[in-house]
Amino acid sequence: MSNPDAEAKKELGNKAFAANDYDEAIKHYTAAIAIDSKNCVYYSNRSACYGGKKDWASAAADAKECIKVNPTFIKGYYRLASAQSELQEFDAALATIKQGLAIEPDNTQLQKQLRLIKAKRSTAKRSETQPERTAASSATPAASYHNLNPAIQKEVIDLQQQLISTTKEYRTVKANILRAQKEKRSNELTKSELDKLPPSETEVKMYRSIGKMFMLTPRSEVMTHLDESIERESKVESDLEGKLDYLERRMKSQQANIAELTKSAANIVHYPKARRCNMAVVTTNIIALKEEAKVEVV
């Protein structure tokens, strides 16, 4: 259970942090730690303050202490990896992220950070071995995407392929929703017409399709079958709508990750402006790849 006095100090620190008054926030978080040194959140918050001041060594130290106090606190790994990345300790940062992902494999924040740090490391290695090219030898903006180093290109291509797969699944689900809606409307229309029959004909037998066959069936059984079909298709539609929403969010997330990765690469590479990653080219490429995805109704 959290110490009330320590929590009060933390709240003061949070207010100062929100106002970008990092020194004041550090003072309050330090006071909270003095009261309760076993609360990992206080170290994590102070690490964020040091990060705001660009004091990455102190940020890393607090993040390590945060993880030491609570090895399952995922934000500690994020804070530590961020600080290590800023200190150009890319291998250590990647190892930290992998430790965090071992605890929480589906953490999107760590997954995104993993891609960005890989891009930073790859670009840093390339800049060490390859001098800055002159404007005379630089490619045109239209070709700049292809001049990203191979590691970053691979990251972007992998993300694009994931986006294609998600887009294909999205279209398939959407097509199945339309099929369910069509089937439900057809059954509702049939039921509506049967309801119009006069009472004297309520038990008349009628043909009901069963696969490729037609069978004489009492009206009551046909109505029951229609009700069940309408209920079943309504449930299918509802389930698929939920999946469609999820896939739409995933596509947006993947598009954002592609944009962030290419933007990060463009900002890191010390090439002339003409050689920096052209987002318009990448976006056009993504759209073209998405159009290749074919829908298969299942």
Side-chain angles (χ1 to χ4, degrees):
M1 184 175 179
S2 300
N3 184 294
D5 293 335
E7 283 295 294
K9 296 294 184 183
K10 185 196 80 171
E11 290 305 317
L12 291 173
N14 289 352
K15 289 179 181 178
F17 181 82
N20 295 326
D21 189 348
Y22 300 122
D23 288 327
E24 183 70 12
I26 287 171
K27 183 179 74 174
H28 292 302
Y29 292 137
T30 301
I33 291 170
I35 298 170
D36 182 4
S37 62
K38 297 302 181 183
N39 192 316
C40 64
V41 174
Y42 305 153
Y43 293 102
S44 174
N45 289 1
R46 194 170 68 176
S47 175
C49 291
Y50 283 125
K53 295 181 63 176
K54 310 300 181 186
D55 182 355
W56 299 112
S58 297
D62 265 354
K64 287 178 181 178
E65 193 62 31
C66 170
I67 294 171
K68 181 180 177 181
V69 171
N70 185 353
T72 64
F73 188 68
I74 295 299
K75 191 168 286 186
Y77 295 94
Y78 179 83
R79 301 252 191 250
L80 179 55
S82 296
Q84 290 170 327
S85 175
E86 293 297 332
L87 292 168
Q88 305 292 299
E89 298 172 359
F90 299 119
D91 290 339
L94 292 174
T96 298
I97 293 173
K98 289 176 181 178
Q99 288 174 13
L101 288 173
I103 299 168
E104 195 173 310
D106 296 328
N107 188 285
T108 55
Q109 193 176 34
L110 286 180
Q111 290 172 349
K112 183 165 70 173
Q113 191 184 37
L114 179 66
R115 289 191 290 270
L116 291 175
I117 292 177
K118 279 184 177 180
K120 283 186 177 182
R121 182 182 66 171
S122 178
T123 305
K125 286 183 177 179
R126 182 174 181 177
S127 65
E128 290 174 1
T129 58
Q130 185 172 346
E132 182 175 330
R133 299 181 183 181
T134 62
S137 63
S138 65
T140 62
S144 59
Y145 165 69
H146 301 287
N147 289 320
L148 289 173
N149 72 60
I152 297 178
Q153 279 194 42
K154 184 179 183 303
E155 288 287 334
V156 174
I157 290 171
D158 287 346
L159 287 171
Q160 288 176 337
Q161 293 301 323
Q162 292 174 24
L163 180 58
I164 289 173
S165 177
T166 304
T167 302
K168 180 178 179 180
E169 188 176 0
Y170 177 89
R171 291 176 177 174
T172 299
V173 170
K174 195 168 185 178
N176 284 331
I177 289 175
L178 293 175
R179 183 205 59 76
Q181 290 173 339
K182 182 179 179 181
E183 184 71 19
K184 185 174 72 171
R185 282 196 299 268
S186 175
N187 288 331
E188 287 173 340
L189 180 61
T190 302
K191 186 172 182 292
S192 174
E193 292 299 316
L194 290 178
D195 282 335
K196 296 177 183 178
L197 289 175
S200 60
E201 299 182 22
T202 54
E203 289 307 316
V204 68
K205 288 189 176 182
M206 53 193 66
Y207 284 103
R208 171 191 161 197
S209 65
I210 302 177
K212 295 182 179 180
M213 300 174 58
F214 290 89
M215 182 177 294
L216 275 174
T217 308
R219 175 184 175 278
S220 58
E221 288 186 24
V222 173
M223 295 293 280
T224 299
H225 170 73
L226 289 172
D227 286 335
E228 291 173 350
S229 295
I230 291 169
E231 183 179 356
R232 182 174 60 253
E233 296 301 335
S234 294
K235 185 179 185 306
V236 168
E237 181 184 357
S238 177
D239 291 344
L240 290 175
E241 287 285 0
K243 187 172 183 179
L244 195 70
D245 288 341
Y246 163 74
L247 291 171
E248 188 171 358
R249 291 195 302 272
R250 192 164 77 179
M251 283 194 299
K252 288 180 180 178
S253 175
Q254 289 168 339
Q255 289 169 339
N257 286 342
I258 291 170
E260 187 166 351
L261 179 61
T262 49
K263 181 180 178 181
S264 174
N267 289 335
I268 297 166
V269 179
H270 301 296
Y271 292 158
K273 186 175 181 180
R275 281 187 52 78
R276 294 189 177 179
C277 179
N278 188 319
M279 278 303 299
V281 175
V282 176
T283 303
T284 302
N285 193 21
I286 293 170
I287 294 172
L289 287 168
K290 285 169 65 177
E291 290 303 317
E292 294 177 6
K294 296 180 180 179
V295 180
E296 294 179 3
V297 178
V298 295

